[in-house]
């Protein structure tokens, strides 16, 4: 059950990252990130009220808040990277370091002891994520943002995994509050960027609600599974945006990235998140630049 929940979290996060990347090319990434965290806060609070909690301790809320600091930071840099770089580079890069750090901390610091089969899965997954990112050749636009985001991803997963199972989903709600507070100064600097058309606001809020749902699924998985295993399974999310980036945005990653995501051919298709052709990152060789 824990493995299924972690994989479900990966699917939700993959869809959210792809949708957030598309929206970040239409409107300013600060607006997507901040409004998204507000949407995540609404969903997390509703979910926490629906799922009874046996005992919520202050330590659980503090771990949840620390997780929110990590996820708020990760989403800001991830959306900025997606607004100007290829999804097939930025998203995998953000996951590689994040999953590696999470697994190492889970084993060396938290005392996780995965079995032989789990270690085999970890040994296969981490290099696969590295290949999806393009190995040493993954140095395109947005790579630096992806690397910084990966540190936030590690903090997000590790901290949330420390919350007690009796706390229900309140650590996720506490994390959304912390994420909103962390992003508030940047939102104040870009206050005019937050005045979006109603449709764009709804999209940003929905994306953030989806990200919160991914965290809810991950927390439930971490309560039933070794943290190192839950992190690795949940971190499979880059495969989906990479494949969608190839199929819908016609991105052309290096051959090693195509091998890593086991995707060699795709056909064009329109996106429900865009009003017309999906804009490409600035400087794309086949398309004109678009302003943020």
């Amino acid at each position: 059950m824990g493995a299924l929940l972690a994989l479900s979290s990966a699917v939700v996060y993959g869809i959210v990252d792809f949708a957030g990347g598309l929206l970040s090319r239409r409107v300013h990434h600060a607006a997507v990130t901040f409004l998204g965290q507000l949407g995540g806060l609404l969903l997390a609070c509703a979910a926490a009220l629906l799922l009874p909690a046996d005992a919520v301790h202050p330590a659980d809320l503090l771990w949840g808040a620390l997780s929110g600091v990590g996820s708020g930071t990760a989403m800001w840099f991830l959306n900025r990277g997606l607004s100007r770089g290829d999804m097939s580079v930025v998203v995998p890069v953000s996951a590689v370091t994040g999953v590696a750090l999470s697994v190492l901390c889970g084993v060396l610091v938290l005392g996780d002891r995965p079995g032989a089969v789990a270690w085999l899965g970890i040994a296969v997954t981490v290099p696969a994520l590295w290949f999806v990112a393009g190995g040493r050749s993954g140095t395109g636009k947005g790579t630096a943002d992806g690397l910084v985001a990966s540190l936030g991803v590690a903090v997000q997963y590790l901290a949330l995994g420390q919350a007690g199972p009796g706390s229900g989903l309140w650590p996720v709600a506490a994390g959304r509050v912390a994420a909103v507070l962390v992003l508030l100064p940047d939102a104040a600097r870009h206050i005019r960027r937050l005045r979006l058309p109603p449709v764009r606001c709804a999209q940003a809020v929905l994306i953030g609600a989806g990200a919160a749902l991914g965290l809810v699924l991950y927390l439930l998985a971490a309560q039933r599974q070794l943290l190192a295993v839950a992190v690795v399974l949940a971190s499979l999310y880059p495969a989906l945006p990479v494949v969608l980036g190839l199929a819908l945005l016609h991105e052309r990653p290096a051959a090693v990235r195509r091998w890593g995501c086991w995707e060699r051919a795709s056909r064009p298709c329109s996106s429900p998140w865009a009003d017309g052709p999906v804009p490409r990152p600035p400087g794309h060789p086949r398309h004109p630049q678009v302003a943020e």
Side-chain angles (χ1 to χ4, degrees):
M1 187 62 176
L4 181 60
L5 288 168
L7 289 173
S8 299
S9 174
V11 171
V12 171
Y13 254 119
I15 295 172
V16 164
D17 281 351
F18 181 74
L22 290 182
L23 190 57
S24 294
R25 297 178 183 185
R26 289 282 183 176
V27 300
H28 198 273
H29 64 90
V32 178
T33 306
F34 185 72
L35 294 176
Q37 294 303 323
L38 292 178
L41 176 59
L42 292 175
L43 184 137
C45 288
L49 290 171
L50 291 175
L51 184 66
D54 296 330
V56 183
H57 300 291
D60 298 325
L61 298 180
L62 288 176
W63 282 119
L66 179 59
S67 173
V69 172
S71 59
T73 303
M75 290 307 297
W76 192 92
F77 281 98
L78 183 63
N79 285 332
R80 190 177 76 166
L82 290 172
S83 70
R84 57 188 184 180
D86 286 348
M87 285 191 192
S88 53
V89 173
V90 179
V91 174
V93 166
S94 70
V96 173
T97 305
V99 67
L101 287 175
S102 299
V103 169
L104 287 176
C105 288
V107 172
L108 300 179
V109 179
L110 304 178
D112 279 356
R113 293 294 180 266
V117 175
W119 271 120
L120 179 60
I122 292 171
V124 170
T125 301
V126 174
L129 289 173
W130 182 79
F131 277 117
V132 169
R136 295 179 183 272
S137 64
T139 56
K141 283 188 175 181
T143 302
D145 288 323
L147 288 173
V148 177
S150 70
L151 300 177
V153 169
V155 172
Q156 167 188 272
Y157 282 148
L158 286 171
L160 192 58
Q162 303 312 301
S167 61
L169 300 179
W170 287 109
V172 178
R176 297 315 91 209
V177 173
V180 169
L181 294 177
V182 166
L183 295 170
L184 194 57
D186 181 69
R189 287 195 298 270
H190 297 94
I191 188 65
R192 287 192 290 181
R193 302 280 192 176
L194 301 182
R195 297 169 186 167
L196 303 179
V199 172
R200 299 299 187 197
C201 282
Q203 289 174 348
V205 169
L206 187 59
I207 288 170
L213 175 59
L215 276 180
V216 167
L217 293 171
Y218 165 76
L219 177 59
L220 295 176
Q223 292 170 350
R224 294 164 173 79
Q225 185 79 54
L226 285 177
L227 182 63
V229 177
V231 167
V232 170
L233 292 177
S235 295
L236 291 173
Y237 69 87
L240 190 55
V242 168
V243 171
L244 292 175
L246 291 169
L248 303 185
L249 306 185
H250 315 296
E251 294 178 350
R252 291 295 179 262
V256 68
R257 284 203 300 273
R258 290 201 298 271
W259 180 91
C261 64
W262 305 302
E263 177 72 17
R264 293 186 178 276
S266 58
R267 61 180 182 175
C269 164
S270 62
S271 167
W273 289 91
D275 301 331
V278 178
R280 272 62 177 182
H284 193 284
R286 293 176 56 192
H287 299 273
Q289 288 193 351
V290 294
E292 288 187 359

